[in-house]
Amino acid sequence: MIDSNETEETAQKTPSFAIDSKSCWETYAGEAERAAMRELADRYVAFLTACKTERETVNFVREALLRAGFVESPAGEFAGDAVFRVMKGKTVFVARKGKKPLRDGFRLVGAHCDTPRLDLKQHPLYEDCGVAQLKTHYYGGIRKHQWLARPLALHGVVAKKDGTLITVTIGEEPGDPVFMIPDLLPHLAYQQVEKKLSDAFEAEKLNILIGHSPSAAALADATDKKDKKNGKDPIKTKVLELLNARYGIEEADLYSAELQAVPAGEAKLVGLDRALVGGYGQDDRVCVFTALNALLAAPQPEHTQIVLFWDKEEIGSEGSTGAKSHFFEYCLEDLIDAWDTGAHKSRVFAAGKAMSADVHAAMDPDYQDLHEKLNSAILGFGPVFCKFTGHRGKVGANDAHPEYVAWLRNLLDGAGIPWQMAELGRVDLGGGGTVAKFLAVYGMDIIDFGPAVLSMHSPFEITSVADVYTVMLAYKAFLAS
Ligand code: MN
Ligand code: MN
């Protein structure tokens, strides 16, 4: 036997070469840090409650930027040292001039502001069996059963032929009605429960209840004209009357509308200790919120700072507002003209360093077997580096270069900011992708980096209050580097 003094001495003399992960709660245990964490979480909860679509998120960002003195610039020019440009109301490019010229590179944080949801079809409204319903087409990776039997709100825009754009939000204010999709009663679900989950819930059954009572005018008309024209579908007619009274729209206007059904209600702190945030759309609005706060809190930077919030990530980054579009490239061209005339675009891109700010799957305590423990992310242990995404042999992945990973390790460790390294689940069990690979094609260094989320893509996702704070500090340190 050895005595305890000897053991202590031996321990002191032996350096540890093993990884020493630290929880953010342990790292930021001081009173001031905890107060800052709490303040950020409260603002984050309010942001999640207010922003449930990409347009609402971009509007929120736009207003925050204008308050901070950023100048909104149209395509073709940038005026000033702190600028931004909005694309179709759904994507935003932000830049702040650094002390170094653009050709010496930039620091870019890119996140996405679209989230999985139920979009209304262009011809949505019908009545049957005593109720009026709305047909939907889901957007992004939803698990269909999670959207049944829960209050839903309608958010979006209706574009009228005269050019006016009407903003629609129903189901969020106290006193507002909500909507829902009925689920099958267990008494009649004997056949359904025997089916495979993918067969049990059909997309064409995701139809939203929107009305029940008949239009008085339609009923009166029906008696007179025997079910002609307005007399048909009195419940649907009533819904159209109400939509017209509230928004001045008619059925054909729904052809040129983007209406999204999202979970109704507020985001909330979760747990007796209020240490978790629960709410819809945290993938990826947690990265939008933390990146925006990091940008606004950063001092005059060494390198030009660029922050991009994209649309359409959840359906493959397509379209004019997704990360595959040329929007970013065109913005950078204008930025070179304004801030570093004559610099080669290729040189600017190649000197850039970027973070694909996106969330990572947190280890689920009830499904630990789907994760590979050594390479999993734990809630509360800080932002997660995901060196590669993709599936089945890294197919479709951006795989970040080790030299860049080392550079980032040095940056965060130097700033005392906890972080973790993980990959998405066990090999061959699933997979995913982000915007990283669409930026990597320009030659800039990029890696996925964001907080862990539990219950991802569900109507009520979970993040850690400590992680939200730490992610913001990490983006801030990166933007200031
Ligand atoms: Mn995401
Ligand atoms: Mn996602």
Side-chain angles (χ1 to χ4, degrees), residues 53-56 88-90 117-122 139 154-159 165-169 253-261 311-312 315 321:
T53 68
E54 55 275 3
R55 279 179 194 265
E56 288 165 358
K88 308 281 182 196
K90 301 174 181 179
R117 60 188 187 241
L118 302 177
D119 284 343
L120 293 201
K121 291 193 182 191
Q122 294 330 111
Y139 172 99
L154 278 182
H155 290 231
V157 295
V158 180
L165 191 69
I166 294 156
T167 303
V168 171
T169 319
D253 292 327
L254 298 176
Y255 286 137
S256 47
E258 276 182 354
L259 293 172
Q260 311 174 359
D311 177 32
K312 298 284 185 285
I315 57 167
T321 52

Side-chain angles (χ1 to χ4, degrees), residues 112 283-284 313-314 358-359:
H112 66 92
D283 168 13
D284 194 26
E313 194 275 345
E314 296 292 0
D358 209 340
V359 298

Side-chain angles (χ1 to χ4, degrees), residues 25 276 362-363 377-382 420 452-454 462-464 467:
W25 296 107
L276 299 161
M363 168 79 93
I378 306 290
L379 278 180
F381 278 75
Q420 46 187 330
V453 171
L454 195 61
I462 296 292
T463 53
S464 157
D467 285 339

Side-chain angles (χ1 to χ4, degrees), residues 184-196 200:
L184 194 55
L185 64 169
H187 318 67
L188 290 180
Y190 287 6
Q191 281 183 339
Q192 189 191 44
V193 296
E194 298 299 327
K195 286 183 180 171
K196 276 196 332 194

Side-chain angles (χ1 to χ4, degrees), residues 127 214-235 237 241:
E127 80 167 74
S215 150
L219 283 184
D221 229 28
T223 326
D224 292 349
K225 294 177 192 167
K226 292 223 182 255
D227 245 8
K228 273 184 200 154
K229 219 178 162 210
N230 293 335
K232 255 173 69 185
D233 299 335
I235 305 172
T237 305
E241 285 168 5

